[in-house]
Amino acid sequence: MKRIVRGLVILCLVIGSQLSLTIEVSALDEQMYSTESDQVTVSTESERTEATIGTEPSTLSSGVYNSADTGNMTGDSNIDLPDNTQTDWQLQLADDELSMTLDPQDNQPLIHAESGNWANYSGDKEATLAYQVDGGARQTVPAADLNQTDKTFQTMFDLSTSDQTVADASEHTVVFYLTIDGVTQEDSLLVHEQVTTNKSPMLTTTSAQLSVPLNDTGIYKIDFEGVWQDEDSHQTTLSGKYSDNSAIDLPDNTFTNTDLGTENNFSIRFETAAGKLTLGENQLEFWLMDNEDGTSEQVLLTVTVTKNTNELPIFTLTYPKVTLNESTSGTYTFSLKGSWLDSDSDQVTIEGKYPDKTAISLTDASYPNEHKGTTTRFSLDIKTEAGKIKYGENVLEFTMTDSDNGMSTAVEFIVDIRKKTNYVPVLKVEPTDFELMREESGDYSFTINGRWSDNESSSVSLKGEYVDKSTFTSEDYPNPYKGQLTAFSLDVTVPVEKLNASGSNQLDLVAIDKEGATSQVITLHFTLIAGTIQFDEVADHSSFQAVKLANDPVISHANDDWVVNISDTTNPNNEPPTWRLEATQETPLENSNTQHALSSTIEYKNAAGQVTPLAIGVPVAIDMQQDTTDQTKYNLGWSDTEGFQLPVSPSEPVGDYSTTIQWTIVEAP
């Protein structure tokens, strides 16, 4: 095949897989070239022709390249070619065109993802990648985005590097440049940008840091919680990625927006892929995308994988400050009160430091952890060394160390030393132990009685703190008699949920004067009891009516001195009693002088008229009547025709007869 051309001619021929030959022919006059199989022939009437093989230019007037001849160009001049420079590869982008939507109100970056490969490259040289938007400055792609082994890449490009202003729909040309061993190939794509008024969703997390213990599987269960909001889209999807940019598999991550503009709480538990989290801190990124392609700002979650499986103790102080009068000896005594919790260690120890960082000598500062995972209160008396505490505020530091060498967060305790003329209040409370009837709901009410004094302040108030750290403060009590003990009676109402249903409860009480000086802490103890069932009163002696014998048997009825009163405080809802009263005749009715025993036995007649004889040693259930004014009280309530009665035969000898009746409360229906 032959052609006659005028001007510039560029020939490109790939021979096998080893060599790419590009020949640029520049001529002022007519020139002729021909190709036959694996051979290129160039002839020209011009003064020179440039042949470029790889990146090396050569000059010749005419010449022939034959693939059978390795590395030689023959013609008017013989020129050695470069040794098999590999230019037989290409950059291939995954996309020719892309579309992206931008909301200018959100001022979001013009960032999009793109991927590609240079898989037809058979060498082992590393590649570098850059991109250019609309002829702007070239942007270098991070090396981490290139997989040199698979000869692929996945990266992000930013359209904001273009000189164009984002206002209306526009198009952008993005050119990618891949360079290997000095040789650069390029490929481009067209990005169609659409402007929308869709408002991007909002995403926040309620906890930006989590800690998980190291395990052998490398798989961890993570709870990601937060709040999302979208003003104009009806559906959003939560996405995330690991530190290596691989996607996180999130279950149930699509949310329906039924109430536009309203904040919505979410909680997702997901299981990480094996090996994605490593020892130490791991940064996970999350974002929300609505169904109109609006994307929230990214939210970071730091997951720390730690080797230490020991749960550190939690150590808090009830009152982080004490005010003391200046001492001439330079030593001070005060009580450190607070609570601690440790989930897994057998013992904990309190340690302290003075303001000069020397250790505080503490006595009885170690505690056995008998109830792991339960908050335990403590009170530790401390006597300081002379000269360690000075006038003014002194900041002491205390920590708690468990038997597995886990240490709590340090807490500060301020010892405020005042001039001796500034007195702190004195508080006395009696009693300090209380019993409260356990309730299922409502409030507990009790009264705290005691005395207080203050030498200088115009008023004093009382402050209490419950087990759950909530507090209450009384009214201000005027102090007209400075230095004298003043009695007080403080009525306190406590919601049921603030006290533990079982075990003891504590309330710490202090007196605080108008200047803020605080008295010593008085600890009150509360025990909740479930109520009792008990005898309030039982007659020591009861009798039957005297009878005169005739020819026929007679019945002797009980006198009014039969008294059995019972109180039941276990039944606040006034349900049917879960107990019964039983009477047992222990011995026969016998004359103490003659030892004659009556042949008849005592009988019990209930309100329905049913008669039950009392056999010796056999209990009989006795009906009780509930008091109409106090539903916790019960009595016999017998009428003239009810209760115990005694049939007497006319043949019985005259005399006084007696026996013993045993009354028993049986806790069963």
Side-chain angles (χ1 to χ4, degrees):
M1 178 183 67
K2 294 184 179 181
R3 283 185 178 176
I4 305 297
V5 296
R6 183 179 297 275
L8 174 65
V9 177
I10 298 177
L11 301 181
C12 180
L13 178 65
V14 178
I15 307 298
S17 61
Q18 298 298 316
L19 187 63
S20 177
L21 170 64
T22 301
I23 300 176
E24 296 182 1
V25 181
S26 299
L28 299 176
D29 302 322
E30 290 186 355
Q31 46 206 303
M32 180 178 294
Y33 69 90
S34 64
T35 60
E36 298 179 3
S37 65
D38 291 342
Q39 177 175 287
V40 175
T41 301
V42 177
S43 62
T44 177
E45 297 177 1
S46 63
E47 296 181 356
R48 70 172 190 172
T49 298
E50 289 187 349
T52 302
I53 302 176
T55 59
E56 302 294 331
S58 300
T59 301
L60 69 162
S61 58
S62 64
V64 176
Y65 172 74
N66 193 317
S67 62
D69 300 325
T70 303
N72 290 320
M73 175 74 77
T74 59
D76 291 349
S77 61
N78 294 327
I79 300 173
D80 292 333
L81 303 180
D83 293 336
N84 297 333
T85 302
Q86 297 189 19
T87 56
D88 58 340
W89 53 270
Q90 290 181 340
L91 170 63
Q92 295 179 338
L93 298 180
D95 303 291
D96 294 326
E97 295 187 32
L98 289 174
S99 296
M100 64 181 299
T101 302
L102 171 70
D103 186 349
Q105 296 181 8
D106 289 347
N107 197 25
Q108 62 185 10
L110 302 174
I111 295 177
H112 207 290
E114 182 57 26
S115 60
N117 70 83
W118 61 101
N120 51 357
Y121 173 65
S122 58
D124 57 2
K125 302 289 185 180
E126 286 197 356
T128 60
L129 185 66
Y131 69 87
Q132 182 183 46
V133 181
D134 298 328
R138 289 196 185 188
Q139 309 296 317
T140 302
V141 172
D145 292 354
L146 280 71
N147 188 326
Q148 303 287 351
T149 302
D150 296 340
K151 299 179 177 59
T152 60
F153 72 87
Q154 183 171 357
T155 190
M156 310 293 287
F157 63 87
D158 188 353
L159 291 181
S160 64
T161 59
S162 169
D163 294 334
Q164 296 186 21
T165 301
V166 178
D168 300 316
S170 59
E171 292 183 344
H172 303 272
T173 300
V174 183
V175 181
F176 281 83
Y177 301 92
L178 189 76
T179 301
I180 303 177
D181 197 21
V183 179
T184 301
Q185 296 279 14
E186 65 182 63
D187 196 3
S188 63
L189 60 89
L190 188 63
V191 180
H192 302 277
E193 175 193 309
Q194 297 177 350
V195 179
T196 180
T197 58
N198 173 48
K199 292 186 177 180
S200 297
M202 178 276 294
L203 176 66
T204 58
T205 178
T206 55
S207 178
Q209 294 186 344
L210 294 175
S211 180
V212 294
L214 183 69
N215 62 41
D216 296 334
T217 65
I219 300 174
Y220 302 91
K221 289 186 180 349
I222 303 297
D223 290 317
F224 182 55
E225 298 178 341
V227 177
W228 67 270
Q229 181 186 34
D230 195 292
E231 295 187 12
D232 53 9
S233 299
H234 294 282
Q235 184 173 283
T236 59
T237 300
L238 181 68
S239 301
K241 65 178 180 178
Y242 296 105
S243 301
D244 63 357
N245 291 326
S246 60
I248 301 174
D249 185 11
L250 297 174
D252 303 322
N253 61 331
T254 298
F255 310 130
T256 301
N257 194 12
T258 56
D259 193 358
L260 299 180
T262 300
E263 291 188 349
N264 301 275
N265 297 317
F266 72 89
S267 178
I268 289 181
R269 167 169 284 195
F270 64 91
E271 191 174 86
T272 65
K276 289 297 183 180
L277 300 187
T278 58
L279 186 64
E281 289 189 353
N282 299 265
Q283 294 279 356
L284 307 185
E285 294 184 10
F286 295 89
W287 63 92
L288 200 67
M289 178 176 288
D290 61 29
N291 57 336
E292 299 176 67
D293 293 331
T295 305
S296 71
E297 293 184 359
Q298 291 183 333
V299 171
L300 295 180
L301 174 65
T302 301
V303 181
T304 303
V305 179
T306 175
K307 281 185 177 180
N308 185 14
T309 58
N310 174 41
E311 294 287 338
L312 301 181
I314 299 173
F315 178 62
T316 59
L317 298 180
T318 303
Y319 294 99
K321 181 178 181 179
V322 66
T323 304
L324 303 174
N325 291 324
E326 191 173 26
S327 168
T328 56
S329 66
T331 63
Y332 299 91
T333 301
F334 57 91
S335 294
L336 191 72
K337 292 179 179 287
S339 61
W340 59 269
L341 180 148
D342 193 285
S343 299
D344 52 7
S345 299
D346 296 325
Q347 182 174 288
V348 295
T349 301
I350 298 176
E351 299 172 337
K353 293 180 181 179
Y354 289 111
D356 63 1
K357 302 305 179 183
T358 58
I360 302 173
S361 178
L362 301 177
T363 304
D364 299 326
S366 294
Y367 305 97
N369 191 12
E370 298 175 347
H371 306 287
K372 292 180 175 63
T374 301
T375 299
T376 303
R377 300 180 75 86
F378 73 91
S379 179
L380 180 63
D381 294 329
I382 298 175
K383 184 176 182 179
T384 66
E385 297 177 29
K388 290 293 186 181
I389 301 295
K390 305 184 183 300
Y391 176 75
E393 288 193 349
N394 300 261
V395 179
L396 279 58
E397 183 178 279
F398 291 92
T399 57
M400 176 168 282
T401 303
D402 63 28
S403 52
D404 297 309
N405 296 322
M407 180 180 290
S408 72
T409 302
V411 294
E412 292 184 347
F413 184 80
I414 298 175
V415 180
D416 188 8
I417 304 301
R418 298 186 177 184
K419 292 296 183 183
K420 199 169 184 178
T421 56
N422 185 21
Y423 296 94
V424 299
V426 175
L427 177 64
K428 299 178 181 294
V429 175
E430 184 65 35
T432 57
D433 294 327
F434 295 83
E435 284 189 350
L436 301 176
M437 199 69 65
R438 189 169 63 213
E439 303 286 352
E440 299 299 328
S441 60
D443 299 322
Y444 294 111
S445 297
F446 55 90
T447 301
I448 302 174
N449 295 305
R451 294 176 297 168
W452 59 266
S453 69
D454 192 281
N455 287 348
E456 58 182 2
S457 296
S458 60
S459 64
V460 170
S461 62
L462 301 177
K463 181 179 179 180
E465 180 180 273
Y466 297 111
V467 176
D468 66 354
K469 304 299 181 184
S470 60
T471 61
F472 68 87
T473 303
S474 74
E475 62 180 345
D476 288 339
Y477 299 111
N479 186 23
Y481 308 108
K482 294 179 173 58
Q484 298 184 20
L485 287 171
T486 302
F488 71 88
S489 183
L490 178 63
D491 294 327
V492 180
T493 299
V494 185
V496 166
E497 58 269 16
K498 288 190 178 295
L499 298 183
N500 296 322
S502 60
S504 80
N505 295 268
Q506 293 177 256
L507 184 151
D508 288 336
L509 191 69
V510 295
I512 304 175
D513 66 20
K514 191 173 183 64
E515 289 72 34
T518 304
S519 72
Q520 80 279 20
V521 179
I522 302 295
T523 300
L524 309 181
H525 301 273
F526 298 87
T527 301
L528 303 184
I529 58 177
T532 59
I533 304 170
Q534 62 183 18
F535 288 106
D536 282 351
E537 182 181 5
V538 177
D540 294 331
H541 180 80
S542 301
S543 61
F544 288 94
Q545 296 173 354
V547 295
K548 292 183 179 181
L549 297 178
N551 295 326
D552 297 319
V554 294
I555 293 178
S556 175
H557 293 282
N559 283 320
D560 294 336
D561 54 2
W562 291 82
V563 177
V564 178
N565 293 332
I566 295 175
S567 64
D568 178 6
T569 58
T570 66
N571 188 12
N573 297 323
N574 197 27
E575 297 176 352
T578 59
W579 54 271
R580 65 175 181 271
L581 177 66
E582 292 182 347
T584 304
Q585 183 178 343
E586 295 187 343
T587 60
L589 280 163
E590 187 177 86
N591 188 311
S592 59
N593 295 324
T594 64
Q595 282 74 49
H596 175 73
L598 292 180
S599 59
S600 57
T601 60
I602 298 174
E603 298 174 343
Y604 169 63
K605 184 178 181 181
N606 63 19
Q610 181 181 359
V611 177
T612 303
L614 272 66
I616 304 301
V618 179
V620 174
I622 306 299
D623 294 340
M624 297 292 287
Q625 289 190 3
Q626 189 176 28
D627 192 285
T628 57
T629 58
D630 187 349
Q631 295 178 341
T632 65
K633 305 296 184 182
Y634 294 82
N635 54 61
L636 293 175
W638 290 342
S639 66
D640 294 340
T641 59
E642 295 178 57
F644 287 155
Q645 61 186 25
L646 178 63
V648 181
S649 170
S651 60
E652 298 291 353
V654 174
D656 292 333
Y657 296 84
S658 63
T659 185
T660 299
I661 302 294
Q662 177 69 45
W663 301 99
T664 305
I665 298 174
V666 179
E667 292 194 44

